[in-house]
Each structure stands twice: as C-alpha cells, then as structure tokens.
Amino acid sequence: MREISLTDLDDLACGAAVLGTGGGGDPHIGRLLAASAVREYGPVTLCPLDELPRDAAVLQVAMMGAPTVMVEKLPSIDQVSKAAQALSGYLSSGLTHIACAEAGGVNSLIPVVAAAQLGLPLVDADGMGRAFPEIQMVLPTLYGVRATPMSIADEKGNRVVLDAVDNHWAERLARSATIDMGCSAMIASYAMTGDQARESLVPGSLSLCAELGELVRRARAAHTDPVDAVVTRLGGRRLFTGKVTDVERRTTTGFARGTATLSGMDEDAGGELVLRFQNEYLVAEIDGEARATVPDLICTLDRESGEAVTTEALRFGQRVSVIYAPADPRWHTEEGLALAGPRYFGYDLDPVGAAR
Amino acid sequence: MREISLTDLDDLACGAAVLGTGGGGDPHIGRLLAASAVREYGPVTLCPLDELPRDAAVLQVAMMGAPTVMVEKLPSIDQVSKAAQALSGYLSSGLTHIACAEAGGVNSLIPVVAAAQLGLPLVDADGMGRAFPEIQMVLPTLYGVRATPMSIADEKGNRVVLDAVDNHWAERLARSATIDMGCSAMIASYAMTGDQARESLVPGSLSLCAELGELVRRARAAHTDPVDAVVTRLGGRRLFTGKVTDVERRTTTGFARGTATLSGMDEDAGGELVLRFQNEYLVAEIDGEARATVPDLICTLDRESGEAVTTEALRFGQRVSVIYAPADPRWHTEEGLALAGPRYFGYDLDPVGAAR
C-alpha cells in the first residue's frame, strides 16, 4: 500500500480495531473522520519506515482519553490538526511526516486525518504495534525519545503545551488536561527524527491493519472463518469463544476501566473467561487462571463477522471469540515489561501468552 | 518608594500579609526568597502605574496552589523565573515589566524575585487590590485581558503552557496542572500592554503594602494599637476581637478550604465569629449573621502585634482581631461580583460590608 485512498479506509478501520485490543477508540469514528478528510484533501501518501529520510521531522498525532467518551463527543477534522499546529512554534524544524502513536482503533485513523489536512506523508509504522492506554507506553520511550514538547487540544479551542521531565510526567499532566477537557482530546507528541523513528517504531502497522481488514472481508465473502484468518496472520491463537454474560465498566481517572465476563459455548472446553481492561484488555483469565496478559494482544472478535468488538461496545449476549497475538518482542524485554507488563497495571503476574 | 531594597522587605511582607486576607501564601517565605534574590541581583526598580510606557510588555508572575502546601514545599529562586522564561517564546515582543497578580502574601514578593532575577522593573500595582483564590479573579478579566498564554512551572522541571478560550478555562486547566505538580507551582500570565495595565490594575499596591507594614512597625514601637493603624489606613473597621477556638482546614481540589471559629473576648459584644475560607477569607459571620463578605477584605490580625495571621497559620488559642476593609470599587460592579462575589463562592448572600 503506497497511499491511503477512500477505498482503503474500511479495511484499515477493520484491521485497526483488531490491533486496538479492545481499546484505541471506536474505529468507525476514525473512519468517518478520515473519509471526510481524504474526500476534502485527497489520498494520503504512505511512507515505508525504511524509506524515511534520516533527518525527517516526524510527529505523532493521536486522540487521548476514554473510549467510552469518544463515542459521544466526536472530534472535528479541524481539531485534529490544531494539536499539531500548536506544537509548530516549539519544533526547531518544520514537520515533514506524521506518524501513528498506536496501531489500533481510532488512533490508526486520526493520523490519516492529520496527514491529509496538513498535506504531509504518513509513516507506515506506529509506536506500539498495538494500542496501550498511557502516553509513555510506546517503544520510543525505550529508546530515549521524549514525549514532550507535546500539545493537547480540545474542540472548544483550549490548547496546552507540555514540557515534562520524563514521559511518565507527560502522561500525568496530559491526563489531567484531557480530563478537564471532557475526557477526550487531540494530542501531538513524540517529535522525532527519521533516524529515531526507524530505530524505535514498529514497521508496516498501517499496511498490516489494511491487510487484516482485507482478510476479514475476503473470509466473509468466501464463507470461511474470519477469526481463523486473523489468528493465522498474527501468529496467535484462539483462547475462547463464548457469550458475553456481564460487563462492568466505569469511566474513572480518564480511562474506561472494567471487566467483561464470557460464558463458554458448546464448542469450547472452558467454562468462564474474564477480561480485565483499562481502555485496552490487560488480562484474560479462563476459570480463574491468567491465559494471556499484556504486553501481548488480547482481542475480542465477533464470532461470525470477525469484526473486532471494542470494550465500550461489549454488550450482554454478544458471541465473541477472544484471541491472543504476540506483541513486538521489544515489549518482552525487562524495560518493555516495566513500561507495560502486567505488574505495571497492578496484576501480580508474570506475562502469560508469549511463550506458548 | 522608587525601589525595593533589602530593608523594605520586612514592611512589604508585613503589609502584604494584611491585604492577603488570610490567603496569598505565607509572606515570610516570600520575604526570604525576595531577600535572597535582591542580595544576589540588587534592588528592584519600582515603576508607578502612571509612568508605565503605553507599549510596555507586562507579565504577571505568581505562585499558584494551596498555601497549606507552600509552607512545606518551598520554591527556589530559579523556579520563579522559569515560569516567565517558559512564556518568552510565546510573546510577540520581549518582556519589559513584571507585575503582581495579587497584593497579598507571598504573591506580593514573588514578583520581586522575578523582577530582580530578570533585571526588569516591577510595576507598583496589582490585579486585585487584595488576594483571591482563582486565576480569573483579577480586574484585568473585567477589561477583557486574557490570562493566557500562561505558563506553569514546578520545581522538578515540568512546564506547561496554556492557551485557553477564556480565563475560567485558564483557571481550570492551570489548577489541574498545579495539583499534579504537588499543589504548588509558579505561574506567569496576563501578558498585557502598558495601556491595558494602566486601565485595569490597582495602582500603588506595593507602596501600600510597605506603608501598612511601616504603620504596624511604628505603632508597635510607640506602644499604640497597630490594628487601629491598619484599619484607619484602609478605611475599614474592626469587626471582632476574640480567641480562636476551632479551625477546620482541608486541602482539597487544590485549595486550602475550611472554617475558623473565634469566641469573643470581654471588650466585645459579639459571642462567636465564624470565618469561612478558600485560601482567602470569604465570609465573616457574627452569631450566625454575615457581617462581611467577598469581594471586600476580611483580615485576621494578631491582637497585640498587628501581624496578619494567614489561614494556614491559624491556631487554637490565638487572640486575633478580625477587620473589614473595602475592596476596589470595581469589584462591586455587576461583572466584578459575578467574578468574585459571595454567590460565585456558593454563598447565597448579597455582598455585605461595603455599604456600612
């Protein structure tokens, strides 16, 4: 894929929802915004990570907040570029490329909006290879790239620019501002050079999203199992198929947090699966035993259509398959686990899933 | 007073504590910082408001947060100028003058530190003629001066720059950042021209602080009543003299909030006085009846020494006089009362005190 045109957006949104691991915000909202931006400004050029010039000036643009709020408080196209523009006075050189902070949900599509509107190429890569809930949880943090200067913009016209002592402080200050702004805001952060981007980002994320979307679409057309197609492409496995019997969800400290419980269906041995989430799924337990955890990917896919179901869309009675997929191996280093392993999120667990 | 030298700082701090109306932070901390800055950088030139050039570029520098925290988390001289420096990239022209946001407590002294360190003259004026707890509560708000661009700096090195849609939003966003920073931070805001400053500030505030301090000092030396000297100079009156019998104080939502109860002493008719505060005193009730309210000044002075007692220093058994003094008349306009009248603070009261 060398550019993103209107016809690519459905596949892109579908695949992004898978890598969003339950979070990352509703990809349909992102698709609508991206479609509107591409219609107005034309297709977006995609730049493979290995073709990025060494001295490129790359900026990540994303939506921050609780996905539960995003579905009710839609951003506008203008708001997206405002965050990037608020930073322009801070960056020593002009921006040359836009990048994705996360591959997942709305945040695979928001950078398409920014790139279209600003007339800049979009790097085919992202900072995680999945979605994670906090600002500092990107591979660039492991390479010493600073999240700040970072800007935060809301739909009312408020703008905040941060210069934090580290990426954890960037998260803390940005989260408070986002909560003030109504739990959903647009951010621009992790300004980096082409060299830094090549070293620290996950290559091919947007192509992978589009490919996953295409696999699901083709499987449905061929009446084969779309969940199998996704699992095979990601080198993962199906953990469970069941019916949603309970969802406990609250929007607190700026996140959508909660648990979802699924009861196994005939075809499965397992009795009950519990998913614990903070925007994204963190732990999947079957009959009380952790069977997959962060940093690996846990995704809920509609059992029939293969469409990913985000945490805020989980409803009683839905029939979903829960799948596991391995994260970028850098997340399994000591530093990676300190940033986004189960213990960071308060679970006294070694990471589960990767070794099997 | 044409300049502020080391010998002026005691009087300045003493008078600033009076106009601080219980808030504005511990003036002794401000005095120590100012003394250290003046010792290092020399005396600060004071510019009378009516001599300010029309095209001057004036910036207010202040400490923001809960006074209860400020006494335990002392700022450094460097931190003061960091807030002003963080804004320099935002201001179209270079700074020419520093001003006080409030006359009161530490915030009459912090601008002395900034002016000394930055080598700029300090305007003999302030934005309130007293201290108030929130960012938007300055007379410049009534004249359409914007609080933002505004910067917030902590002692760790974190910096936030805000561009808010109005001054209430500036308060909201700045308060959250200040709470994250540990309930105490340094801010620079209300960049304005000389013309705007002359129109909207209260003239002569720093001279008045120094004069009040001198009156208290001379009264003590002459064994006359320092409280009388203050009341006469401010055109106010003594409301009550009594012993502190109870102080209920909590640091919440970034403010020091609470009530203080005083029992009347022989010389007074009144039985009990209750002071309600949010950093500053908001309402003084005698035997259940409001006898003074914001926007006018309510101050607690040590009955013997005449030294102002700030809300965080109130202790059981202290003998204090509670005085009323009229606020700048612009606070009694409809717009002024909407900004800082009793109803804004949640009291269903018409302002009391001014008319008597």
Side-chain angles (χ1 to χ4, degrees):
Chain A
M1 190 164 66
R2 299 303 307 211
E3 68 168 30
I4 298 174
S5 61
L6 263 182
T7 53
D8 302 312
L9 293 175
D10 284 346
D11 285 348
L12 193 56
C14 174
V18 175
L19 297 183
T21 74
D26 188 333
H28 296 299
I29 295 173
R31 187 178 50 79
L32 291 174
L33 279 175
S36 157
V38 168
R39 233 177 261 123
E40 186 166 348
Y41 300 100
V44 167
T45 305
L46 213 52
C47 172
L49 192 55
D50 57 12
E51 292 179 16
L52 193 62
R54 296 191 57 174
D55 57 353
V58 184
L59 189 65
Q60 294 186 349
V61 177
M63 207 162 162
M64 178 164 181
T68 38
V69 170
M70 290 180 198
V71 294
E72 298 182 0
K73 182 163 162 293
L74 303 183
S76 68
I77 294 189
D78 281 350
Q79 194 192 338
V80 176
S81 57
K82 264 179 196 154
Q85 284 157 352
L87 266 194
S88 59
Y90 272 86
L91 303 170
S92 50
S93 54
L95 271 188
T96 64
H97 292 74
I98 297 295
C100 295
E102 56 187 4
V106 74
N107 278 336
S108 299
L109 282 305
I110 289 292
V112 176
V113 177
Q117 201 177 13
L118 299 170
L120 295 173
L122 179 60
V123 185
D124 188 5
D126 83 296
M128 310 181 192
R130 50 162 298 161
F132 270 130
E134 298 178 10
I135 293 289
Q136 76 280 7
M137 295 176 176
V138 292
L139 294 169
T141 296
L142 300 183
Y143 292 85
V145 181
R146 295 185 60 217
T148 65
M150 168 177 176
S151 63
I152 311 162
D154 71 9
E155 75 291 352
K156 291 173 277 292
N158 292 304
R159 294 189 308 184
V160 174
V161 176
L162 302 181
D163 191 358
V165 288
D166 61 33
N167 295 354
H168 285 267
W169 267 102
E171 159 66 25
R172 186 166 166 176
L173 293 165
R175 189 68 50 185
S176 295
T178 299
I179 292 171
D180 282 333
M181 290 172 171
C183 273
S184 164
M186 212 56 71
I187 63 170
S189 63
Y190 287 100
M192 59 182 101
T193 64
D195 274 349
Q196 287 176 307
R198 267 205 304 279
E199 179 182 57
S200 65
L201 298 185
V202 178
S205 307
L206 290 167
S207 296
L208 175 60
C209 287
E211 190 187 341
L212 287 171
E214 190 183 344
L215 285 170
V216 168
R217 178 166 49 85
R218 289 187 188 280
R220 277 209 300 252
H223 300 289
T224 58
D225 188 344
V227 176
D228 274 346
V230 168
V231 166
T232 305
R233 174 61 186 87
L234 293 178
R237 64 171 192 280
R238 193 189 302 236
L239 288 174
F240 195 86
T241 297
K243 200 174 77 173
V244 178
T245 54
D246 195 29
V247 183
E248 187 262 312
R249 190 168 34 213
R250 54 200 188 282
T251 303
T252 172
T253 65
F255 296 104
R257 295 173 188 267
T259 57
T261 309
L262 284 75
S263 283
M265 290 164 70
D266 304 346
E267 64 211 86
D268 275 297
E272 193 178 74
L273 176 136
V274 174
L275 293 165
R276 304 187 186 281
F277 56 85
Q278 175 186 337
N279 288 8
E280 283 74 34
Y281 297 119
L282 305 175
V283 177
E285 297 166 4
I286 298 178
D287 296 336
E289 189 197 350
R291 296 288 292 278
T293 64
V294 277
D296 290 320
L297 286 70
I298 301 166
C299 317
T300 43
L301 308 182
D302 182 278
R303 188 191 158 211
E304 300 299 328
S305 72
E307 294 266 354
V309 182
T310 57
T311 56
E312 75 273 15
L314 277 176
R315 297 281 180 277
F316 176 84
Q318 275 172 334
R319 279 140 205 260
V320 298
S321 288
V322 180
I323 69 165
Y324 149 87
D328 185 287
R330 290 172 284 184
W331 284 119
H332 283 279
T333 60
E334 192 178 329
E335 297 77 16
L337 290 174
L339 211 53
R343 288 183 212 284
Y344 176 84
F345 290 101
Y347 298 95
D348 191 16
L349 293 170
D350 290 324
V352 181
R356 302 191 188 185
Chain B
M1 192 165 63
R2 297 305 303 212
E3 69 169 28
I4 298 173
S5 62
L6 264 183
T7 53
D8 302 312
L9 292 176
D10 285 345
D11 285 346
L12 194 55
C14 174
V18 175
L19 297 184
T21 72
D26 188 334
H28 296 299
I29 295 173
R31 189 180 47 80
L32 292 172
L33 279 175
S36 159
V38 167
R39 233 178 259 120
E40 187 167 346
Y41 301 100
V44 167
T45 304
L46 213 51
C47 173
L49 191 56
D50 57 12
E51 291 179 18
L52 193 61
R54 294 191 58 173
D55 58 352
V58 184
L59 188 65
Q60 293 187 348
V61 177
M63 207 162 164
M64 178 164 181
T68 38
V69 170
M70 290 180 198
V71 295
E72 297 181 0
K73 182 164 163 289
L74 302 185
S76 68
I77 293 190
D78 282 350
Q79 195 191 334
V80 177
S81 57
K82 264 179 197 155
Q85 282 156 353
L87 266 195
S88 59
Y90 271 85
L91 303 172
S92 51
S93 55
L95 271 187
T96 63
H97 292 75
I98 298 295
C100 296
E102 56 188 5
V106 73
N107 278 337
S108 298
L109 282 306
I110 290 290
V112 175
V113 178
Q117 203 178 11
L118 299 171
L120 294 174
L122 178 61
V123 185
D124 186 6
D126 82 296
M128 309 180 193
R130 49 164 295 160
F132 270 130
E134 299 178 9
I135 292 289
Q136 77 279 8
M137 294 173 177
V138 292
L139 294 169
T141 295
L142 300 184
Y143 291 86
V145 180
R146 295 184 60 217
T148 65
M150 165 179 180
S151 63
I152 310 162
D154 72 8
E155 75 290 352
K156 291 173 278 293
N158 292 305
R159 294 189 307 185
V160 174
V161 175
L162 303 181
D163 191 359
V165 288
D166 61 34
N167 296 354
H168 285 268
W169 268 101
E171 158 67 23
R172 186 165 167 177
L173 293 165
R175 189 67 53 184
S176 295
T178 299
I179 291 172
D180 282 334
M181 289 170 170
C183 273
S184 164
M186 214 56 73
I187 63 170
S189 63
Y190 287 99
M192 60 182 101
T193 64
D195 274 347
Q196 288 176 307
R198 266 205 305 277
E199 178 181 58
S200 64
L201 298 185
V202 179
S205 309
L206 290 168
S207 297
L208 175 61
C209 287
E211 189 187 341
L212 287 171
E214 191 184 343
L215 285 171
V216 168
R217 178 167 49 85
R218 289 191 188 279
R220 278 208 300 253
H223 301 287
T224 57
D225 187 344
V227 176
D228 275 345
V230 168
V231 166
T232 304
R233 174 61 184 86
L234 294 178
R237 66 173 190 278
R238 193 189 300 236
L239 288 175
F240 195 86
T241 296
K243 201 174 76 171
V244 178
T245 54
D246 194 30
V247 183
E248 186 261 315
R249 188 167 36 213
R250 55 200 189 282
T251 302
T252 172
T253 65
F255 296 104
R257 295 173 189 267
T259 56
T261 308
L262 283 75
S263 284
M265 289 165 72
D266 303 347
E267 63 210 84
D268 274 297
E272 192 176 75
L273 175 134
V274 174
L275 293 166
R276 304 187 186 282
F277 56 85
Q278 173 185 338
N279 288 8
E280 284 75 33
Y281 296 121
L282 305 175
V283 176
E285 297 166 2
I286 297 179
D287 296 335
E289 190 197 351
R291 295 288 291 276
T293 65
V294 278
D296 289 319
L297 286 70
I298 301 165
C299 318
T300 44
L301 307 182
D302 183 279
R303 188 189 157 211
E304 299 300 328
S305 71
E307 294 266 354
V309 182
T310 58
T311 56
E312 75 274 17
L314 278 176
R315 297 279 180 277
F316 177 84
Q318 276 172 334
R319 279 141 207 260
V320 298
S321 288
V322 180
I323 69 164
Y324 149 87
D328 185 288
R330 290 172 285 184
W331 284 119
H332 282 279
T333 60
E334 192 179 332
E335 298 76 16
L337 290 173
L339 211 52
R343 289 182 210 284
Y344 177 85
F345 290 101
Y347 298 95
D348 191 17
L349 291 171
D350 290 324
V352 180
R356 301 189 193 192

